[in-house]
Amino acid sequence: MTEKKNKSMIQRRLIPTYIFLIIWSFISVFPFYWMISAATNQSIDVARGKIIPGTYALQNFQNLIQGNDLWGAMGNSLLYAVVQTLLALVICSLAGFGFELYHDKGKDIVFTILLLAMMVPQVATMIPLFKLLSTAKLLNSVWGFILPSISTPFLIMMFRQNSRNFPIDTMEAARIDGLNEIQIFYRMYMPMMKSTYAAAAVITFMNSWNAYLWPRVILTNPDAQTMPLLIANLASGYTTDYGLLMMGVLFCSVPTMIVFFVLQKQFAEGITGAVK
């Protein structure tokens, strides 16, 4: 009887916690629900605050693909995001691997300079980067989009911090077996740091997919526009079709949600510095 009473008391104490979590979950999910609902309604219904799904989704979708190059923008965004993610993972992991496992005072000074670079705002380097890439004839190209972002101090720092959990004894044993440093990196380091790679991939893909300011500057050709640029064009003008706009936002949100849900477990492990 005493155990039952204790369990019932514990359950009663948890009731406010459950209520709080339910309310907070609803608040967190509601913007996503409203986006889907707005994509199925007419613009006037969205402006009036209607939150019940409507029957105008097909018309909004047809208007979206008829007046805009939706598939072209989706393809451009996917190409830019995938290429940037792959290159950033290789370059930043190599840098983090080298800074931590082969570090000395000189490398520590260079790493400190990299961390100081994180305090420089993007807008401060935008004009020099634009002039540089314009001279190199890289405007409206995938390289012009990704080159400023394939190596970031944040990702290098994350790989370096997580590399501290990499077993040095294993690396020394691999050297005795005849592996060189490149083979150690690809055969041992990368498989053991897969959670960190997953976390870095999610962060890089989302940043690249949602990028707006730099693509607005570097991508002057409408054929090279990305999804955020297409959505910005939908919102411009004297009047805005909110149903059409929310349909575009919905299409823009789907790829990032897929990437996050597929890699969410590895993402959590990578953020906490897990090594397997």
Side-chain angles (χ1 to χ4, degrees):
M1 293 295 292
T2 304
E3 292 181 359
K4 292 183 178 179
K5 288 182 179 180
N6 291 334
K7 289 182 180 180
S8 62
M9 290 178 63
I10 293 173
Q11 291 176 352
R12 291 176 182 176
R13 291 176 182 176
L14 292 176
I15 289 176
T17 303
Y18 290 146
I19 294 175
F20 173 78
L21 292 176
I22 291 172
I23 295 174
W24 192 253
S25 299
F26 175 79
I27 295 174
S28 301
V29 173
F30 180 77
F32 179 70
Y33 166 78
W34 185 84
M35 176 183 66
I36 297 176
S37 176
T40 64
N41 286 298
Q42 299 185 42
S43 179
I44 187 172
D45 293 329
V46 178
R48 290 174 178 174
K50 182 181 177 181
I51 62 174
I52 300 175
T55 59
Y56 211 70
L58 182 60
Q59 185 62 44
N60 286 333
F61 175 72
Q62 291 176 348
N63 294 338
L64 180 62
I65 61 177
Q66 288 176 358
N68 305 277
D69 187 11
L70 174 64
W71 306 122
M74 290 279 289
N76 291 334
S77 291
L78 186 61
L79 174 64
Y80 300 153
V82 170
V83 174
Q84 180 176 328
T85 300
L86 294 177
L87 290 179
L89 291 181
V90 174
I91 294 173
C92 294
S93 61
L94 276 170
F97 176 76
F99 275 123
E100 179 57 31
L101 300 179
Y102 305 97
H103 72 274
D104 53 32
K105 291 184 178 180
K107 291 186 178 68
D108 291 340
I109 294 174
V110 174
F111 186 73
T112 302
I113 296 174
L114 283 175
L115 294 183
L116 291 175
M118 295 177 65
M119 295 186 290
V120 179
Q122 183 186 14
V123 293
T125 61
M126 193 164 295
I127 294 177
L129 280 174
F130 177 80
K131 290 184 176 180
L132 177 64
L133 295 176
S134 177
T135 303
K137 301 185 183 303
L138 293 177
L139 299 181
N140 300 307
S141 68
V142 60
W143 298 113
F145 180 94
I146 69 173
L147 279 178
S149 304
I150 58 175
S151 177
T152 62
F154 174 77
L155 288 184
I156 294 174
M157 179 183 67
M158 186 173 72
F159 275 105
R160 186 192 181 188
Q161 292 298 115
N162 290 349
S163 295
R164 294 180 177 179
N165 298 323
F166 184 77
I168 303 297
D169 295 339
T170 303
M171 188 167 65
E172 293 177 352
R175 288 173 181 159
I176 296 174
D177 290 338
L179 295 181
N180 57 37
E181 305 307 310
I182 299 299
Q183 290 173 329
I184 291 173
F185 177 79
Y186 284 105
R187 294 185 182 182
M188 302 183 63
Y189 179 84
M190 292 182 70
M192 296 181 70
M193 300 290 292
K194 61 181 181 180
S195 297
T196 304
Y197 277 97
V202 172
I203 294 172
T204 307
F205 185 89
M206 288 187 173
N207 288 339
S208 177
W209 184 273
N210 296 323
Y212 173 75
L213 186 58
W214 178 243
R216 174 62 75 182
V217 173
I218 200 70
L219 303 177
T220 58
N221 189 341
D223 294 334
Q225 72 174 349
T226 60
M227 282 300 297
L229 298 182
L230 184 144
I231 292 173
N233 293 333
L234 294 177
S236 62
Y238 294 103
T239 59
T240 301
D241 188 336
Y242 293 107
L244 175 65
L245 178 63
M246 289 298 103
M247 181 62 70
V249 173
L250 179 60
F251 269 88
C252 186
S253 303
V254 169
T256 55
M257 289 189 294
I258 293 175
V259 170
F260 180 78
F261 284 122
V262 170
L263 299 175
Q264 60 178 330
K265 181 179 180 180
Q266 292 82 359
F267 175 80
E269 293 175 351
I271 291 297
T272 58
V275 175
K276 292 186 178 180

